[in-house]
Amino acid sequence: MQSEVFAEIITESLRINQRKHFFTWLQGSFQSLIGHEIMVCAIRAADSQTYYFDNYSSTRYFTSERFEHATQSEHGMVTRAVAAWKNNPKPMLIESDLKVGDYGGYAVPFTEDAAALREAELINIVAHGMSDNDGNLSTFFCFSRLSKEITPAYAYILELLVPHLHCALTRVMGSNESTLMATTTKVTKAITGRETEILKWVHMGKTNWEIASILSISPLTVKNHVQNILRKLEVQNRSQAANKAAKLGLFKVFQ
């Protein structure tokens, strides 16, 4: 029965070329293999070490702020999972009661206590990535708030599904590439060097006061720069600005 579901999922994946199709696919028969409420993915920009993050969530609790926090450089759980995968490219499981280690077919790269996972609205994580021909991470898929207990069986399922997730996501991003490039060019020309510098610190969660201290300028000056950034990126708040800047590749999300 599971083989029939898998065949159906793969057949459906071949028809995906838009973001809305990708989300519908994840919420359909895909759920019978990896039942989840949140999927955060990353794809590397062409000829770059910049990664664009996106999320497909069916829960209202995973807000844009939660997404930003999970994917921020250094401390975000998803970013940490990506970094761990680059060091040990195999399916990974992350939950409060799992023991860190390499278990052959999968790895537990780090643990988080249950309270931290709940605070992040992720609860638990299974993830895997796909490398390009040079062995560099090309795409990464992180599933959270799973409907079933995490077991090593998820590692096998990820091994089977991630190549098809990779192909589908690549097509989705490819269909938006020209628009993305045009937007990136427009925004890059508009945002100044100082604004880009401030935006990097905003992305790392720093307050205006902290940024002012780091750059030896006044908090009011930082506030004015942030307002200009919001206007140029056509967003409403700091979290949206940092998220959009990451998607547009205005700065490296991680090295």
Side-chain angles (χ1 to χ4, degrees):
M1 184 64 179
Q2 192 175 68
S3 62
E4 294 177 1
V5 173
F6 181 74
E8 178 184 351
I9 290 172
I10 300 312
T11 300
E12 292 174 352
S13 75
L14 299 175
R15 296 192 287 266
I16 296 171
N17 54 32
Q18 295 182 36
R19 190 180 188 279
K20 62 181 180 180
H21 298 155
F22 196 74
F23 180 72
T24 300
W25 177 56
L26 290 173
Q27 295 304 309
S29 54
F30 193 100
Q31 289 282 336
S32 63
L33 293 182
I34 304 182
H36 67 282
E37 294 184 22
I38 300 167
M39 194 278 277
V40 177
C41 57
I43 184 168
R44 194 181 72 213
D47 303 320
S48 169
Q49 286 302 309
T50 298
Y51 288 81
Y52 303 140
F53 283 103
D54 199 0
N55 80 97
Y56 297 78
S57 173
S58 61
T59 175
R60 63 186 176 86
Y61 299 112
F62 194 63
T63 62
S64 59
E65 288 76 16
R66 299 290 189 192
F67 170 62
E68 167 61 22
H69 186 266
T71 56
Q72 69 180 344
S73 59
E74 296 185 19
H75 303 300
M77 287 189 196
V78 175
T79 304
R80 290 167 58 200
V82 169
W85 191 93
K86 293 171 76 174
N87 290 326
N88 188 13
K90 60 178 58 179
M92 57 180 62
L93 315 180
I94 300 170
E95 197 173 37
S96 59
D97 58 354
L98 296 178
K99 185 177 180 180
V100 173
D102 187 329
Y103 295 89
Y106 69 96
V108 178
F110 57 85
T111 60
E112 289 287 349
D113 61 49
L117 285 164
R118 284 195 301 272
E119 174 65 21
E121 292 296 347
L122 297 175
I123 310 300
N124 46 33
I125 294 171
V126 297
H128 194 22
M130 188 82 179
S131 298
D132 60 18
N133 292 333
D134 296 323
N136 298 313
L137 177 63
S138 180
T139 55
F140 187 79
F141 304 91
C142 178
F143 297 91
S144 302
R145 297 181 72 100
L146 303 169
S147 59
K148 297 180 180 179
E149 178 185 358
I150 289 185
T151 69
Y154 276 112
Y156 174 69
I157 294 172
L158 286 169
E159 289 277 17
L160 293 176
L161 289 180
V162 162
H164 303 284
L165 283 159
H166 168 83
C167 291
L169 182 62
T170 301
R171 286 196 301 275
V172 169
M173 292 301 295
S175 67
N176 297 325
E177 186 173 3
S178 59
T179 301
L180 183 65
M181 289 178 64
T183 303
T184 301
T185 300
K186 177 183 176 182
V187 172
T188 301
K189 289 181 178 179
I191 291 183
T192 67
R194 174 62 95 181
E195 288 168 349
T196 301
E197 187 176 16
I198 289 173
L199 190 50
K200 290 179 182 179
W201 291 112
V202 169
H203 182 265
M204 295 179 70
K206 301 296 184 182
T207 65
N208 285 357
W209 187 89
E210 289 172 325
I211 296 171
S213 178
I214 292 169
L215 299 180
S216 299
I217 57 180
S218 74
L220 180 59
T221 298
V222 175
K223 181 180 179 180
N224 290 335
H225 280 306
V226 170
Q227 291 301 315
N228 287 334
I229 290 168
L230 298 183
R231 177 178 54 80
K232 292 177 181 180
L233 288 176
E234 299 179 346
V235 295
Q236 300 299 314
N237 55 53
R238 300 161 70 93
S239 178
Q240 292 175 3
N243 183 32
K244 187 169 184 178
K247 286 186 177 181
L248 293 175
L250 297 185
F251 47 79
K252 293 183 178 181
V253 177
F254 51 82
Q255 299 296 328

